[in-house]
Amino acid sequence: MDIIRLLPDMVANQIAAGEVIQRPASAVKELMENAIDAGADDITVVLKDAGKTLLQVTDNGCGMTATDARLCFERHATSKIREANDLFAIRTMGFRGEALASIASIAQVELKTRRREDEVGTQILIEGSVIKSEEACQCNFGTSILVKNIFFNVPARRNFLKAESTELGYVIEEFQRVALVNPDLAFSLHHNGKQVYKLEPGNSRQRIIAVFGNNYSQKLVQVETQTNIVNISGFIGKPEFAKRTRGDQYFFANNRFIKHPYLHHAVVNAFHDLLPDNAFPTYFLFLDVDPKTIDINIHPTKTEVKFEDEKSLYAIIRSAVKQTLGKFSLTPSLDFDIEKSMDFPEMKTGETVKVPQVKINPYFNPFEKDNGGFTPKESYRNPARQGLEQWGKLYPQEDETAPVPTPVQTDELFPQSTIHSSLDETPAESAGPKYFQVNTRYILTQLKTGLMVIHQQYAHERIIFERTMQRQKAENRNIQQLLFPQTITFSSADAGLFSSILTDVCATGFDIADIGGGSFIVNGIPTDFGDNNLQIILEQVLESYKNNLQNMEGNNRSRLAAAFARQMAVKPGKYLNEEEMRSMVELLFACAVPDKTPDGKKIINIISYEEMSKTFK
Ligand code: ADP
Ligand code: MG
């Protein structure tokens, strides 16, 4: 008996849908791309419950005839290619003829469409691939596709969808990608009756700013290169604005957002030494290549593509980015890796030698901003580090009112003896364990059983996290009212998110009010905030918070506290003196959970003497 059977269309479509449509965001992407292919210049996206209940894309494009309206839901129905050869000249977004068939197989879909030249339009209702009704209707020219109850008939997939905020994040991401690459078109996005984006036509730079917020205008520099393999245009972010989270990395090839780890590496490589540790470069690069030299058909969602000559592309991109960095002389002042010990003071001719002083400050409090008189030289104060540098002032209760102690001076005459005295003269107060900082990252100390290695940043994160959580519970939040309230601005997507967690942000020790239009007014800050740049820190906090949404258990407040802690914590590269290390360790062990960061990273490592002795065998 023959056992091979052809799958019914409905099943085939559902299987295909699994590849093309994974979540509401993928449906939004496909529908927006169809609208663009239809020549629309004004595209509206409406969502309810992050698209889980309803999503709708309306355009003013070419519309469809009644016959096309019916056909468009068939699998492999496309107006965009006719023969295999056309695959090598694709300039449209879609071409596989799968999206509408897939969407119609897993949702309840209402299509309304009319060509400008037709008197009446067509309305079709289709549900799980079955056409429920088809009639003439009055409607605007263009096309509107409404998708209700996505995955209503595939419970496994519906259950697989994440929390609303997460799904909304995915939709916004797709929306942004499409909007970024089509700055000449108008877009708007609405969620649960609220407008999230309204983007007017403009140039590429204006679009980026409209999407990500005003503060991007000063962060970006332009890239422009033309070769016979590829034309590159776009922007890169100045290194000092590099973020510590992934996100602002955009490659577009022939007007399509793509992911390409190999080419990403070319950009990272060009930035090379200019970025602080763990920071990611920002870039928006638009590549234009001959359609013959790119294969966009290797993956159903078409975000992974293959270029014919990736090696050359790599080299061209790297050199384009390098050139831009050089041209805007973004390089010289960026000495991230200068070791503190290399920071010798310069001596001018005629200057008399000052008596070297040994500064020992018995009252030294590492959590006070004035760092015992050790001020790094200007060159060391990198703008990217500024703000993160003033980590000290986090614990005002710890003696904020104590007078600034004058350094103890000893009358040593020769620098050498200074060195000796600071080495030999173990200060009397440090009778306890000794601490060493290595690699400006780790604090080492000796235990009975082995060597304890503490990750300085993670330790500090834990300390600030617990402090912040306590503050959230406290009646008196220690808010410091600002004499001159500051306005901060977010992109509309971020503004929406920020607004939705504003109460929790305030519980963290801020006094902030939403004044609309993506702007917020900051009236008060936590007393331990120091003179950090509000806009930058809050942006980074929001960025980490978004990450925490996906990667961290707990509620909004703990996620926020963790995000805040991450931004305020000392970073690798920060020199700590013995007193600072001691306080850090003491505060760490006063924490409820001293061994893990809020998001579960290990803070402490103990290398036992036993293990150590084994390494000598
Ligand atoms: P593809 O985009 O790969 O061709 P789709 O399933 O996304 O496949 O769409 C099928 C066809 O339906 C398209 O080729 C196009 O002719 C038509 N179509 C889809 N959306 C629209 C729209 N918004 N306006 C006009 N025609 C559309
Ligand atoms: Mg399509």
Side-chain angles (χ1 to χ4, degrees), residues 30-31 34-35 37-38 59 61-64 68 72-74 77-80 93-101 113 142-145 302:
E30 292 293 339
L31 296 177
N34 279 348
D37 286 344
D59 69 55
C62 65
M64 285 180 261
D68 281 350
C72 74
F73 292 110
E74 297 284 329
T78 179
S79 55
K80 298 166 196 171
M93 303 304 294
F95 56 86
R96 296 166 62 118
E98 279 177 325
L100 290 182
T113 187
T143 303
S144 156
I145 296 184
K302 304 186 232 84

Side-chain angles (χ1 to χ4, degrees), residues 605-616:
N605 233 326
I606 294 173
I607 304 166
S608 70
Y609 297 130
E610 214 177 306
E611 278 169 69
M612 245 185 257
S613 74
K614 275 188 205 143
T615 63
F616 292 100

Side-chain angles (χ1 to χ4, degrees), residues 127-184:
E127 195 176 303
S129 298
V130 181
I131 294 197
K132 296 282 171 174
S133 88
E134 183 187 342
E135 53 198 38
C137 76
Q138 293 297 323
C139 59
N140 288 336
F141 72 87
T143 303
S144 156
I145 296 184
L146 191 149
V147 178
K148 278 200 275 190
N149 302 320
I150 192 165
F151 300 129
F152 78 102
N153 54 355
V154 201
R157 288 206 158 252
R158 192 166 173 87
N159 295 337
F160 175 77
L161 294 179
K162 302 246 171 67
E164 188 175 313
S165 54
T166 313
E167 292 298 335
L168 182 62
Y170 286 125
V171 177
I172 288 177
E173 204 170 74
E174 294 292 356
F175 178 90
Q176 290 176 338
R177 290 169 181 173
V178 176
L180 283 171
V181 81
N182 295 286
D184 48 334

Side-chain angles (χ1 to χ4, degrees), residues 338-362:
I338 289 184
E339 285 283 311
K340 179 124 183 144
S341 57
M342 287 166 58
D343 231 10
F344 295 117
E346 272 169 58
M347 185 83 160
K348 294 196 192 79
T349 33
E351 205 177 31
T352 45
V353 183
K354 282 198 213 107
V355 177
Q357 299 170 343
V358 184
K359 296 183 177 178
I360 300 165
N361 174 0

Side-chain angles (χ1 to χ4, degrees), residues 7 125 242 294 421 514 521 553:
L7 289 175
L125 299 181
I294 179 173
S421 63
D514 190 346
I521 189 148
E553 303 282 306

Side-chain angles (χ1 to χ4, degrees), residues 87-88 90 95-96 253-254 256 258 260 289-299 302-310:
L87 274 175
F88 305 106
I90 288 168
F95 56 86
R96 296 166 62 118
N254 293 1
R256 183 188 300 281
I258 59 160
H260 209 294
V289 300
D290 183 336
K292 278 202 226 64
T293 66
I294 179 173
D295 185 356
I296 34 197
N297 206 13
I298 55 173
H299 194 265
K302 304 186 232 84
T303 47
E304 281 154 51
V305 303
K306 182 125 190 51
F307 296 95
E308 198 173 83
D309 189 357
E310 303 200 323

